[in-house]
Amino acid sequence: MGPIGIFLSLILLMYLAYRGITVLILAPLLSLMAVALSGGLPILATYTQVFMASLGGYVITYFPLFLLGAIFGKIMADSGAARSIAEWIVDRLGTGRAILAVVLSCGVLTYGGVSLFVVAFAVYPIGNALFRRADIPKRLLPAAIALGSFTFTMTAFPGTPAIQNAIPMPFFGTNVFAAPFFGLLAGVMMLAGGTVWLQRRAGIAAARSEGYGDHPATSADASLPEDTDLPPFALAILPVVSVIVINAALTWLVFPNMSAAYLAAPEYGETDLAAVAGIWAIIVSLVVAICLAIALNLRRFGNLRESVNAGTMGSLLPIFNTASEVGYGAVIASLPAFSVIRDAVLGLFPDNPVASLAVAVNVLAGITGSASGGMSIALETLGAQFAQMGQAQGISMELMHRVTALASGGFDALPHNGAVITLLAITGLTHKKSYADIFVVAVAIPVVALVTVIVLGSVF
């Protein structure tokens, strides 16, 4: 019953998450169901010593990134800086390039460290008005936002502070700039391919005179009053630029020249600088960016304390959702029947661990409906084996890092994905109207980019 229990647990996790049940409840219950069906294993001990230990370990490692990212996003939104950046891009490109304007607005903000959820709320009102003026069907707007937020800036472009680009670092000893050429190549493929697709879809709609359509206003249409005193673009973009610049400076100039032998001591986890430098760089760059955003926009906050508190509280659900999925994966990996699944995954491409890694991450991201969750499960359970296989075959750990990040951003955007559901709720649209285009730009094209990187990486 072991393999059946694992399979049934995964199917129920995907189905019930799609039905709206929180993973905080599903992850422990369904993992323990798999334990029970395996027979002869201690359920309570598995919960406290395996599930909770893995959950806690993930929170210890990544909570600062979730916390600071959420606060930064909230500060950028409440100060009007996010809207200022979006409106500047829209003004420069004009209504004739409405789709590209929305995509780039989202891309600039997410690449600068603003949460994709915050970006969706910040850009939607502007994008909606722009699509209305350009008479482009509103049903294409969610896909444009998804393209700019869920794809090239989340997994591909080197240096992005997205959590999906940070999780692989401890496993492969890399940093957020890993494999920059392949990251840029995949990112350009996603950006160009997705934009061309949406432009083509808009052209088809124009040929049949579809137009914007008749849509009622949503609660997100007026996230900031029209007369809000927005900061100038130069001030608004400065904190975003600082995230990338400081991150790069710390990664390439500061930390490599630091003496950190003290990290080998037991009180510091008996680690080394290579294992923590990437996370340290993101922490410092986000702290500086938050302070800079506050200093430049202090008079624009209605209540700065509430903005910081709201950002702080907004980080809790995402971190515990993902950590619960990590706990779930740790329990599944501890079951005797998992060795069959592990051997099958590792044996898919015995001479190409990069391809095997990509399949494992993509499938688990699809099952959980979470890029970070699927990636975390795959790395927690199989990361060491993949790293050893890669090193044995002389494969660059930077390539392993980039493929892992890219693979997390494929099947994760299936219909039950939380970000997809939230995006459709913000825009007031449905899966039936808009998901087909989301699938093309956030699933199909990223998978094509991933395969391209795997092929080229295997050759070169």
Side-chain angles (χ1 to χ4, degrees):
M1 290 294 291
I4 295 176
I6 292 175
F7 178 76
L8 182 60
S9 172
L10 290 172
I11 294 298
L12 286 174
L13 177 65
M14 183 166 57
Y15 173 74
L16 294 176
Y18 177 74
R19 301 295 297 177
I21 301 177
T22 174
V23 74
L24 294 177
I25 297 296
L26 291 178
L29 288 180
L30 293 178
S31 64
L32 296 179
M33 181 192 78
V35 172
L37 291 175
S38 295
L41 298 175
I43 293 178
L44 288 178
T46 300
Y47 175 67
T48 58
Q49 307 306 116
V50 180
F51 182 91
M52 288 304 301
S54 296
L55 182 152
Y58 186 88
V59 172
I60 288 171
T61 302
Y62 296 110
F63 178 65
L65 307 189
F66 280 82
L67 173 67
L68 295 172
I71 292 175
F72 181 55
K74 186 62 176 172
I75 293 296
M76 291 290 288
D78 288 358
S79 66
R83 179 167 151 184
S84 175
I85 293 170
E87 289 192 353
W88 186 90
I89 293 173
V90 168
D91 289 343
R92 296 305 180 278
L93 293 177
T95 56
R97 296 185 177 88
I99 290 174
L100 182 60
V102 171
V103 172
L104 291 182
S105 296
C106 295
V108 168
L109 291 169
T110 51
Y111 193 51
V114 181
S115 162
L116 60 89
F117 294 100
V118 172
V119 169
F121 276 105
V123 174
Y124 164 70
I126 304 153
N128 191 35
L130 189 60
F131 271 46
R132 189 192 301 271
R133 290 201 299 268
D135 207 27
I136 297 173
K138 185 183 178 181
R139 61 181 174 81
L140 298 177
L141 181 55
I145 295 175
L147 174 58
S149 304
F150 303 176
T151 62
F152 57 94
T153 57
M154 186 178 82
T155 64
F157 278 7
T160 175
I163 189 68
Q164 292 79 6
N165 195 34
I167 291 173
M169 294 189 300
F171 295 92
F172 301 118
T174 50
N175 57 58
V176 291
F177 295 91
F181 170 77
F182 288 117
L184 284 171
L185 173 64
V188 170
M189 288 181 66
M190 295 179 200
L191 172 58
T195 303
V196 168
W197 171 265
L198 292 177
Q199 294 284 16
R200 178 177 176 272
R201 294 280 284 167
I204 293 173
R208 61 181 181 227
S209 302
E210 178 180 342
Y212 172 82
D214 184 18
H215 303 281
T218 73
S219 59
D221 275 306
S223 56
L224 282 175
E226 286 298 321
D227 60 350
T228 298
D229 175 26
L230 299 179
F233 172 77
L235 293 183
I237 198 69
L238 194 55
V240 173
V241 173
S242 73
V243 173
I244 305 301
V245 172
I246 295 172
N247 196 343
L250 292 173
T251 299
W252 299 111
L253 300 176
V254 178
F255 290 151
N257 296 310
M258 282 179 53
S259 175
Y262 60 87
L263 289 173
E267 58 266 34
Y268 296 111
E270 296 180 325
T271 186
D272 56 34
L273 187 60
V276 297
I279 292 176
W280 285 4
I282 299 177
I283 290 174
V284 173
S285 60
L286 284 174
V287 167
V288 173
I290 289 169
C291 294
L292 186 60
I294 291 174
L296 293 175
N297 300 287
L298 188 59
R299 66 181 178 83
R300 295 184 174 89
F301 291 101
N303 189 317
L304 178 59
R305 183 184 61 190
E306 288 185 4
S307 296
V308 174
N309 288 345
T312 300
M313 298 305 295
S315 71
L316 299 182
L317 185 58
I319 180 68
F320 277 98
N321 275 340
T322 304
S324 293
E325 291 168 344
V326 171
Y328 171 88
V331 171
I332 297 300
S334 72
L335 302 179
F338 182 76
S339 60
V340 177
I341 299 173
R342 180 196 62 210
D343 293 342
V345 171
L346 293 175
L348 284 174
F349 303 97
D351 298 324
N352 193 337
V354 177
S356 295
L357 175 61
V359 171
V361 173
N362 229 327
V363 169
L364 287 168
I367 290 171
T368 60
S370 167
S372 55
M375 178 199 299
S376 298
I377 292 173
L379 291 178
E380 291 288 345
T381 55
L382 298 170
Q385 291 95 321
F386 280 123
Q388 291 171 2
M389 291 170 64
Q391 290 170 348
Q393 297 187 27
I395 297 173
S396 164
M397 291 297 101
E398 290 199 5
L399 177 62
M400 299 284 280
H401 172 126
R402 186 55 53 206
V403 166
T404 302
L406 291 171
S408 74
F411 292 166
D412 70 306
L414 293 177
H416 61 292
N417 173 269
V420 170
I421 292 171
T422 300
L423 176 58
L424 292 174
I426 291 171
T427 57
L429 294 165
T430 64
H431 282 81
K432 182 178 180 180
K433 291 181 178 179
S434 297
Y435 182 73
D437 293 297
I438 294 176
F439 177 85
V440 172
V441 302
V443 178
I445 293 175
V447 168
V448 171
L450 169 64
V451 172
T452 302
V453 168
I454 292 173
V455 172
L456 292 178
S458 301
V459 173
F460 298 106

